[in-house]
Amino acid sequence: MQRALQAIANRIVIAVPFLWLLVFFLAPFLIVLKISLSLPAIAMPPYQPVFDIADGVAGLWAGVREFTVDNYVWLTQDALYFNAYISSVVIAGISTLITLAIGYPVAYGMARASSALRPILLMLVILPFWTSFLIRVYAWIGILKPEGLLNTFLMWIGLIDEPLIILNTHTAIFIGIVYSYLPFMVLPLYSSLEKMDYSLIEAAKDLGCSETGAFWKVTFPLSLPGVVAGCLLVFIPAVGEFVIPDLLGGSRTLMIGKTLWNEFFANRDWPVSSAVAIVLLLLLVVPIMLFQRAQARAQEAER
Amino acid sequence: MRRIGLLCLTTAAAILSYGASAQERVVNVYNWSDYIDESILEDFTKETGIKVVYDVFDSNEILEAKLLAGGTGYDVVVPTASFMARQIQVGVFQKLDKSKLPNLSNMWDVITERTAKYDPGNEYSINYMWGTTGIGYNVNKVQEILGTDTIDSWDVVFKPEELAKFADCGVYMLDAPAEMIPAALHYLGLDPNTTDTGELAQAEELLLSIRPHIRKFHSSEYIDALANGDICLAVGWSGDVFQARDRADAADQGVAVGYSIPKEGAQMWFDQMAIPADAPHQAEALEFLNFIMKPDVAAKASNFVYYANGNKASQAMLIEDVIDDPAVYPDEETLAKLFTVVAWDPRTQRTATRLWTRVVTGQ
């Protein structure tokens, strides 16, 4: 009896995350998918067909038969979408690598700090979140603009004679993304590095390994789950980033977020913008799922 | 424990204030940013007892997306007429009960005639402000480069060799296809409202030819950039350039900003106040519109934002800077040269957006 109760309780506990995914991921996904199969219309909302519960099953079926894949075909006919996807992935990829290069030493230093200091360092990493994300990005405009803090300072110390043009370039976008997403890289790295058993490194050294050799042969492989988690946490939102390129980047930067904005707001073509969003989701989710499955297999093979 | 006590207190306060607001009359207004003298809202509340919940947007596209999705909760919104024409077709707005708007008699026929093109019979909207899309410039730099301190022609913008002179100094252009494509078409002597792809391609060619000399496409940053003296030229909206002029004067750093309606003519646009069909507070919205059409209120608004309004009776109360400035209230001759545009059909809209993406990003 008790065991049965226990089983039910377990089910309920498992149901919570499933319900969460259902309500906040699957349902919105299905709505967007549905709109991506619709046709634009001059109406409210601006697409057809629209389902109404009052129409019942027959109405639903009539609507489903109106579905079309035209919007996806459209995406293949103009190189704009492909270029925007590629450019977004490249910008997000470079930003992720820079974030990793900066975040790893930070996380490593934090994990090796004395246990009294660690909570303070952790607090410092989280601290920027207390200010609105938008305000922090705006602050970068003040820092990077030609007559901004950075240029004024560099000219004052005599390093440069003319202000550097950083704002409205790709460099500014990288700075913005790396700055904004650094905590998402540092935190998972820190948690995997902190759990590491440092006697392993001592053992490696005892066996004649150099300091760098020990790092690459022991520390880095052990921190790989943290590296993967951190990179995914930075890369995925960076691909779809809209605010940072819009505020810091130049108008010449082509990213998928802006393309989506154009389809949705300028063209009022909700179906095509939904199709862009679905393709973006598939491009991101499918490789990640394949990667995770491969990793799970590899782990099982090791056992 | 104290914290819990505090929480209870604030909850109680929230419930109390909710109870109070249930009897309070409210109007939810959604207007462009930096587009009103806030004291007008206070005056309205004083006179009618209706509380104004004021919210702002900065692009027609965002307003339109909200309106098309429906259920915005706004009672008064301020779309530009060309966008509004399409929204009226979709059924976003409700017809105005003109018996509740006695102040309509104050409106200016010169403007109502033109807005009727978008809203036949002005059944759905009243004019709030109108203006032009022209050239804002740094007076001293233009003097230095051209040897004259006024700009009177689109040649400066649309002739690549002319614009090149200003490239180092900085040129901004509105990131708005509905402004820039008609301007280019008009300069080429074509119909600014054309839907012909060949003619649109000519406009694209013209825009691409001047693109290398443009530092940024953006629809609001040019105000500060002009005021700070960071740039020399900007294609922008009249009132925004006047705001830049005022900021430059206030900063007193030797920057002087000028605005030109080029002699070839420029686009004239109208921002209209309308009531969404599903507005929760219709009666209050009508009272608000009627209040805005009072001559002293319209004058106060124009005196603050430096845009012309569609209220004839308010003109006696406008300050000289506004009514006597031909860039704000153009003379008959200039007025005759201004052109208006209607909204693109979905097909042309798509062509225009794609064309504009090529101009802006080069792809």
Side-chain angles (χ1 to χ4, degrees):
Chain A
M1 181 64 199
Q2 207 170 9
R3 198 171 281 179
L5 273 179
Q6 186 69 39
I8 292 170
N10 281 348
R11 288 258 168 98
I12 292 173
V13 171
I14 297 170
V16 171
F18 270 102
L19 206 67
W20 177 274
L21 280 177
L22 186 79
V23 173
F24 292 108
F25 180 77
L26 192 64
F29 173 80
L30 288 177
I31 293 172
V32 175
L33 181 70
K34 190 239 133 188
I35 297 177
S36 80
L37 296 171
S38 309
L39 281 174
I42 300 181
M44 225 175 121
Y47 54 83
Q48 270 176 337
V50 180
F51 293 138
D52 193 340
I53 295 173
D55 293 342
V57 180
L60 186 78
W61 180 238
V64 168
R65 279 169 52 182
E66 278 181 50
F67 279 163
T68 158
V69 292
D70 282 2
N71 302 310
Y72 292 94
V73 176
W74 172 263
L75 295 189
T76 62
Q77 284 167 345
D78 190 339
L80 172 77
Y81 304 99
F82 181 75
N83 292 340
Y85 283 120
I86 294 296
S87 147
S88 296
V89 167
V90 168
I91 289 176
I94 295 174
S95 310
T96 307
L97 289 180
I98 302 174
T99 315
L100 180 63
I102 298 175
Y104 203 99
V106 173
Y108 191 76
M110 280 169 62
R112 298 295 291 264
S114 73
S115 55
L117 204 57
R118 274 185 223 165
I120 299 171
L121 292 174
L122 205 60
M123 189 68 201
L124 287 177
V125 171
I126 303 169
L127 205 62
F129 287 116
W130 290 49
T131 313
S132 152
F133 165 74
L134 207 56
I135 291 174
R136 284 182 284 135
V137 177
Y138 266 111
W140 275 104
I141 296 180
I143 296 171
L144 297 177
K145 66 180 185 178
E147 66 279 16
L149 289 174
L150 181 69
N151 277 312
T152 318
F153 175 72
L154 290 178
M155 289 194 339
W156 179 66
I157 61 168
L159 211 61
I160 52 170
D161 299 324
E162 266 185 26
L164 300 171
I165 303 292
I166 303 173
L167 193 65
N168 302 333
T169 65
H170 275 50
T171 316
I173 299 180
F174 292 137
I175 293 175
I177 294 179
V178 169
Y179 165 78
S180 303
Y181 291 106
L182 193 60
F184 296 106
M185 182 65 88
V186 170
L187 295 177
L189 279 174
Y190 168 76
S191 79
S192 68
L193 284 168
E194 195 211 12
K195 280 182 296 195
M196 212 181 82
D197 182 358
Y198 281 94
S199 59
L200 291 172
I201 296 187
E202 281 166 28
K205 283 192 201 153
D206 283 348
L207 295 168
C209 206
S210 69
E211 190 85 41
T212 37
F215 174 81
W216 286 114
K217 288 207 167 88
V218 180
T219 313
F220 190 74
L222 281 174
S223 68
L224 260 184
V227 172
V228 171
C231 285
L232 289 181
L233 278 177
V234 175
F235 181 77
I236 295 171
V239 172
E241 187 56 60
F242 174 71
V243 173
I244 295 172
D246 194 50
L247 291 179
L248 300 180
S251 35
R252 287 167 176 81
T253 315
L254 186 67
M255 278 186 86
I256 203 67
K258 178 70 183 175
T259 310
L260 228 154
W261 196 98
N262 269 340
E263 289 298 341
F264 190 82
F265 289 102
N267 290 347
R268 280 167 299 281
D269 196 334
W270 294 19
V272 166
S273 74
S274 303
V276 172
I278 294 284
V279 171
L280 179 65
L281 189 74
L282 294 180
L283 280 181
L284 289 178
V285 167
V286 171
I288 288 163
M289 278 174 65
L290 290 176
F291 174 78
Q292 280 195 328
R293 185 170 289 184
Q295 242 197 349
R297 281 221 189 106
Q299 272 178 359
E300 262 169 42
E302 270 172 35
R303 279 181 209 158
Chain B
M1 193 54 217
R2 251 186 77 185
R3 195 174 290 171
I4 294 171
L6 201 68
L7 191 72
C8 291
L9 245 175
T10 48
T11 316
I15 292 167
L16 276 178
S17 66
Y18 180 77
S21 70
Q23 295 153 17
E24 210 170 46
R25 297 180 71 203
V26 178
V27 61
N28 300 318
V29 179
Y30 197 40
N31 196 357
W32 292 80
S33 52
D34 294 324
Y35 212 31
I36 202 161
D37 181 345
E38 303 257 343
S39 70
I40 290 174
L41 307 178
E42 288 159 26
D43 294 346
F44 176 70
T45 308
K46 253 182 241 156
E47 194 173 301
T48 60
I50 299 170
K51 199 178 136 203
V52 182
V53 180
Y54 195 75
D55 202 358
V56 298
F57 59 90
D58 71 348
S59 87
N60 269 309
E61 285 82 2
I62 287 176
L63 170 65
E64 186 165 78
K66 287 198 179 190
L67 289 173
L68 290 179
T72 57
Y74 294 118
D75 302 308
V76 176
V77 296
V78 193
T80 301
S82 52
F83 281 77
M84 185 188 65
R86 182 170 44 211
Q87 292 154 6
I88 289 174
Q89 288 168 23
V90 175
V92 167
F93 300 116
Q94 55 178 277
K95 281 196 176 168
L96 300 177
D97 180 355
K98 292 191 176 174
S99 68
K100 301 264 174 58
L101 299 171
N103 287 336
L104 272 173
S105 61
N106 297 327
M107 300 309 272
W108 190 15
D109 53 356
V110 170
I111 301 304
T112 48
E113 270 167 27
R114 286 175 164 82
T115 55
K117 193 172 159 187
Y118 305 97
D119 173 9
N122 290 295
E123 296 279 349
Y124 293 89
S125 67
I126 63 159
N127 180 254
Y128 176 56
M129 296 278 163
W130 59 272
T132 50
T133 307
I135 306 171
Y137 57 94
N138 182 321
V139 177
N140 304 330
K141 292 282 175 64
V142 166
Q143 170 78 40
E144 236 172 72
I145 293 168
L146 294 181
T148 162
D149 64 357
T150 46
I151 286 177
D152 65 348
S153 166
W154 281 112
D155 286 345
V156 176
V157 172
F158 287 123
K159 281 213 167 112
E161 67 273 15
E162 287 288 314
L163 192 64
K165 295 179 191 162
F166 295 92
D168 288 337
C169 185
V171 180
Y172 270 37
M173 187 171 268
L174 288 173
D175 186 6
E179 300 287 349
M180 296 317 306
I181 295 172
L185 286 166
H186 183 73
Y187 178 75
L188 290 169
L190 302 168
D191 175 12
N193 283 304
T194 188
T195 55
D196 181 88
T197 43
E199 292 185 355
L200 287 168
Q202 287 182 47
E204 178 182 355
E205 204 182 315
L206 177 65
L207 288 164
L208 282 173
S209 73
I210 58 165
R211 170 181 180 268
H213 309 303
I214 294 165
R215 185 178 293 170
K216 191 168 188 181
F217 294 89
H218 200 281
S219 299
S220 58
E221 277 178 13
Y222 66 94
I223 305 178
D224 277 336
L226 271 177
N228 295 338
D230 294 344
I231 59 171
C232 281
L233 278 188
V235 179
W237 291 301
S238 46
D240 281 1
V241 177
F242 299 134
Q243 282 187 27
R245 182 184 66 192
D246 285 359
R247 284 183 205 174
D249 290 348
D252 203 15
Q253 297 288 319
V255 178
V257 176
Y259 177 76
S260 160
I261 300 176
K263 61 173 190 270
E264 295 90 347
Q267 187 181 147
M268 185 184 191
W269 46 259
F270 312 87
D271 285 340
Q272 302 287 103
M273 283 191 167
I275 306 177
D278 55 1
H281 311 99
Q282 284 178 34
E284 288 80 359
L286 283 165
E287 274 189 60
F288 186 80
L289 293 192
N290 198 42
F291 182 80
I292 288 291
M293 288 188 292
K294 285 173 77 168
D296 54 320
V297 174
K300 196 176 189 179
S302 281
N303 288 340
F304 187 80
V305 297
Y306 283 94
Y307 277 109
N309 63 51
N311 196 309
K312 178 81 176 161
S314 78
Q315 291 179 1
M317 285 170 254
L318 293 172
I319 53 173
E320 281 175 16
D321 270 4
V322 173
I323 188 74
D324 289 342
D325 189 339
V328 183
Y329 277 93
D331 51 40
E332 290 287 330
E333 195 192 344
T334 317
L335 208 52
K337 273 188 283 184
L338 298 178
F339 63 87
T340 53
V341 296
V342 292
W344 284 309
D345 61 277
R347 224 191 149 87
T348 314
Q349 174 73 53
R350 178 163 280 292
T351 313
T353 307
R354 185 66 188 90
L355 180 166
W356 188 246
T357 305
R358 267 195 300 275
V359 170
V360 170
T361 66
Q363 301 204 43

